[in-house]
Amino acid sequence: MKKFFKEATGHIMTGIGYMLPLIVGASLVVAIPKITALCMGITSLDPYAEAQGFLHILYQIEQVGWTGIGLTNTVLAGFVAYSIADKPAIGAGLIGGALASNTNAGFLGAILAAFIAGYAVKWAKEHIHLPESMQQIMPLVICPFLATGAVALIMGVILSGPLSAINTALVDWLRVLCSGSTSQIVLAMILGAMICTDMGGPINKSAWMAGNVLMTEGIYQPNVFINCAICIPPLAYAIATVIRKARFSEELREGGKGCWVMGFIGITEGAIPFTLVKPTRLIPINMIGGALGASICSLLGATAEIPPVGGMYGFISISNGWAYLVGLIVGAVFIAVVSTMFVNFNVDTEEAEADVDIDDIEISFEQV
């Protein structure tokens, strides 16, 4: 069972990995005409659906982006199924994802459809044995037919109603959680701390995956906090190598230059070499900085009406984008100042990595 859950997580992450370029591209195509319209004093382009001229063009571009966002469950399910059983499963997965959207089964339905499609194909490959002369029809006819039939029967007939009810109740609860000021700050603190705990490890990925799951349901706010926190640790150590240069070895000062880029585009792993110097002290500091930055972001009113884009430049896709930047910078400055107060980074990083194995800071869920 542990092995299955580990494999299942890998398949879901693969699907999300393929889905993300769709989300990012579509979000930007929505954001650019929205921002252009806001600069003109127009808050919604919907009244220009039947109009003519420049504003109608902006409306058409925005609708293309929303079309892409509407494909998230379809693409997610297709590529999760592809991860499980390769090409013969992708068609049934795509159908299952579209069905999940149409029946309001949402992300849960899309994932379930993907697993039905993928494992139906795996079962067929293992249990259906055709003569050598007919082997070519297995991946083209038999496997897609069985997988699509299984999706149609289980998702379309048996589970569409229950999954729709479960998904609706879950989404409504999460919307309430994101709308309350106190609960939203608590959510921001939890997500910010998780992102900055193991920087690319299982806790970080769990928070990141949760944000992307909610984004497929039209709940964008958690990703504001996640995107903010992702930038904080690398930016923090980039700042630290400048303001407290004497506290860092030459090698880490050089590494700090790369952290400017990683902080700007949102690659948390850039902070790992610094954290390895003294993980018992620096991991809690990183967590507090991430929680602080995300909660300030929430307090100052950074909100997302469209799927937010990651990185520092993501402020363009967020209402009150300045609040996003303030939270990010405050969290980074906190880590930069406090980390250099408690840790001397004048060490050989190769020796530090030899003394402290990365397993010491990655937390495994296998025993849960």
Side-chain angles (χ1 to χ4, degrees), residues 147-167:
T148 305
V151 168
L153 179 62
I154 299 173
M155 291 295 301
V157 178
I158 300 173
L159 294 180
S160 60
L163 283 173
S164 176
I166 292 170
N167 184 66

Side-chain angles (χ1 to χ4, degrees), residues 69-292:
I69 291 169
L71 291 172
T72 52
N73 282 331
T74 304
V75 172
L76 175 68
F79 283 100
V80 170
Y82 171 77
S83 176
I84 295 168
D86 215 351
K87 292 179 183 178
I90 193 170
L94 292 169
I95 292 169
L99 183 64
S101 293
N102 292 339
T103 60
N104 201 30
F107 170 82
L108 294 175
I111 293 296
L112 183 57
F115 277 81
I116 292 168
Y119 283 102
V121 170
K122 288 192 76 171
W123 180 89
K125 287 179 177 180
E126 293 172 0
H127 293 88
I128 298 177
H129 305 288
L130 297 178
E132 189 69 31
S133 59
M134 300 180 67
Q135 283 296 320
Q136 289 184 343
I137 71 170
M138 274 294 291
L140 293 175
V141 179
I142 304 297
C143 290
F145 168 69
L146 291 175
T148 305
V151 168
L153 179 62
I154 299 173
M155 291 295 301
V157 178
I158 300 173
L159 294 180
S160 60
L163 283 173
S164 176
I166 292 170
N167 184 66
T168 300
L170 181 61
V171 169
D172 288 345
W173 175 71
L174 288 168
R175 288 190 194 280
V176 171
L177 185 67
C178 290
S179 62
S181 57
T182 302
S183 58
Q184 188 179 128
I185 292 169
V186 172
L187 179 65
M189 292 176 67
I190 292 170
L191 291 173
M194 288 178 70
I195 287 292
C196 297
T197 299
D198 52 1
M199 295 161 293
I203 296 177
N204 172 287
K205 285 292 188 289
S206 295
W208 176 79
M209 188 166 68
N212 284 286
V213 166
L214 295 175
M215 194 156 57
T216 66
E217 299 297 336
I219 302 173
Y220 308 135
Q221 192 61 32
N223 257 56
V224 174
F225 310 137
I226 289 168
N227 291 346
C228 173
I230 284 173
C231 299
I232 287 174
L235 181 64
Y237 291 107
I239 294 171
T241 57
V242 173
I243 64 174
R244 297 292 300 275
K245 189 179 294 187
R247 298 284 284 177
F248 291 86
S249 65
E250 182 64 31
E251 187 178 355
L252 285 176
R253 284 200 297 270
E254 286 298 313
K257 295 176 182 178
C259 281
W260 288 108
V261 177
M262 293 186 187
F264 182 75
I265 63 178
I267 301 177
T268 320
E269 287 84 346
I272 288 176
F274 297 87
T275 304
L276 284 173
V277 173
K278 197 72 174 178
T280 54
R281 294 183 183 179
L282 293 173
I283 290 176
I285 291 171
N286 291 346
M287 291 173 65
I288 294 170
L292 177 65

